[in-house]
Amino acid sequence: MNQDNSNPMDNKNNSDKDHDAALQNPYAATTDIQHLPLQKQTIQNPIPNLTNEPLDSTLNVTPKSARTKTTLASGEPLRLAVVGHTNTGKTSILRTLLRDVYFGEVKNEAATTRHVERAQLTDSQTGEALVSLYDTPGLEDASGLMDWLEDNTASRRDGIERLQQFLAADIAQSYDQGTDTSTSYADGFGDYSQEAKVIRQLLASDMAIYVVDAREPVLGKYKDELAILSWAAIPVMPVFNFTDSQDANIDAWQTMLARRNLHISTRFDSVAFEFTDEMRLWQNLATMLTHAEMLEQLMQRRTEDWAQLYDEANIIIADFLLDIAAFVREINDDDDPMPILQQMQEGVRQSERAMQQRLLNAYKFYDNAVAATPLELKAYQQDPFDPELLKSYGIRTTSGAAAGALLGLGIDAAALGTTLGLGAALGGIAGGLLSNTTSIADKLSGVKRLYIDPATLTLLATRAIDLLAALRHRGHAATDATQMLYSSEYNNYTDNDNNAAIVTPWATHKLPSELKKARGKPQWSSLSSGKSEQAQSLRTDAAWSLSNKIQSREN
């Protein structure tokens, strides 16, 4: 007599066939979710038409409710689950990919993420949703779960069937939301509700990235995690986080992964960000898909957006420098220049802070309690007129004609250098920026003109370029002010006198022609004219030209 030895959980009623067919499109019920950039929310009904309960509910998910696996069809958004052990930086990686310091919660403690959250990457031009990203809770006890699966599921069943049986069991349900906490678990096993949330999302996704803390040694629990993930029958790509750490164990990890037929992996540090690493991540994922059109479109658009953002950032810097270079104040021969110089200093400080904030906003960093920003760092808080700051950049405060100009104003150059650091030019004496005719006319009329000296302009340019470089290499998961590339870190070399040497974009005595021209265009400066929009419009062409020169020096 033939006996049916199949697992009872595998029996299906014929009346369920139509219901199973409806599961071919698992997101048919989510049309109310807007396809907006950086959209996030807790997922409701990842397996539609079953219940209105959220994904993290205590609903028993039986095998008949399982999603039928299909290859990602052309034109559909990619459903990408982000999974891994607790506290490996899953949410951190998502923050950096999304350029969103507010997504999720990042703490240096285990199990920070308790629910599944969704965010979408869209085409910046069309608004089309390209990738749906799912942040999942950390896998806390994969080894214990593996023991349960070995003891309670039949090894002859395929992986999806075994995971479905787990999801239907009591230990997969959550007992932390008002249910009876005195319920005992079968066979002495604990609560695996967090693992269940991960597996439910995994079964509803097209592929997954498995986040690895590269600083961790290869332990048995990680091997069990990968074994369980493989049962979901979707492509899984390991992603190494915190790769800049000296304690990284990437070689050992890659050996273990190869033994499990995981030969495609990538590095993506959520703190020390590299755009090329992000592109490599998407490219590697694309090689694992039959239809990769969405990822190819995403890579193209993100590359274009990244280049455009860099162009815009350099224009912000160039516009700021021209605004400062054109800043001029006139005083009479017998006026005390010190109050005017102090007013000019404060105007420059405020303008620099505004420029820095524009760069921060452009790269989606914000000065708030959620994440540290470069403005919180001493390198960018320091007064631009501090002579010690000029010295640290290897820039001399006064020399030659500039010193003579200051003395011509009746100001002691040494005292000015140690207290204000702000140069003043008399006509064409300082730097030869104005014609001798104008200089003589001013002298005859008893008028003196005060400018920001070339040394300070060079310092402001160098510091702005350093800030831009830091923003381009900083992930949105950085929560500590020390997680920032200071200029001294990536210019860490010395000159012949064993002093720190920082490369300035130009020599102090060789300002770009656009800045020299601005000296004769006080109407270009909002600080001089008080007409911000008009002044900016007048210097637009010069800002574009200067930004190209800045980029050429950066590269």
Side-chain angles (χ1 to χ4, degrees), residues 20 27 37 53 92 95 97-98 105 158 216 283 416 473 506 522:
D20 288 339
Y27 284 88
E53 293 294 319
S92 297
R95 279 188 174 184
L97 287 175
L98 295 165
E105 185 177 5
D158 67 34
E216 285 288 300
Q283 183 61 57
L416 186 61
H473 295 283
W506 48 72

Side-chain angles (χ1 to χ4, degrees), residues 10 12 22 27 34 46 52 64 82 105 123 129 134 136 138 148 161 296 313 373 423 454 463 475 485 492 512:
D10 195 48
K12 294 171 62 75
Y27 284 88
Q34 296 182 9
N52 289 325
K64 70 180 182 180
V82 181
E105 185 177 5
D123 188 308
Y134 296 91
T136 64
W148 186 93
E161 291 174 327
E296 291 168 355
T373 69
R463 190 152 75 158
L485 294 175
N492 190 21

Side-chain angles (χ1 to χ4, degrees), residues 210 222-230 256-257 260 262:
Y210 175 72
Y222 302 128
K223 299 175 183 179
D224 290 335
E225 288 172 0
L226 288 167
I228 293 171
L229 296 178
S230 69
M256 184 271 284
L257 293 171
R260 282 155 180 77
L262 292 171

Side-chain angles (χ1 to χ4, degrees), residues 22 42 81 110 225 261 290 331 364 378 380 393 450 507 528 536:
T42 300
E225 288 172 0
N261 292 319
T290 303
I331 62 173
K364 301 187 185 306
K378 291 181 180 179
Y380 300 100
Y393 276 81
L450 307 181
S528 298
Q536 185 175 24

Side-chain angles (χ1 to χ4, degrees), residues 195-218:
E195 282 77 6
K197 295 172 187 177
V198 178
I199 291 172
R200 287 191 188 101
Q201 184 55 55
L202 203 65
L203 293 174
S205 300
D206 299 299
M207 65 190 317
I209 61 174
Y210 175 72
V211 181
V212 177
D213 184 340
R215 302 167 298 186
E216 285 288 300
V218 178

Side-chain angles (χ1 to χ4, degrees), residues 176-192:
D176 58 359
Q177 297 181 356
T179 54
D180 183 6
T181 56
S182 64
T183 302
S184 59
Y185 297 104
D187 302 322
F189 288 95
D191 177 8
Y192 292 100

Side-chain angles (χ1 to χ4, degrees), residues 61-63 66-67 159-169 203:
V61 180
T62 61
R67 170 184 176 232
I160 291 181
E161 291 174 327
R162 299 178 77 175
L163 294 179
Q164 290 168 355
Q165 185 171 346
F166 158 68
L167 293 176
L203 293 174

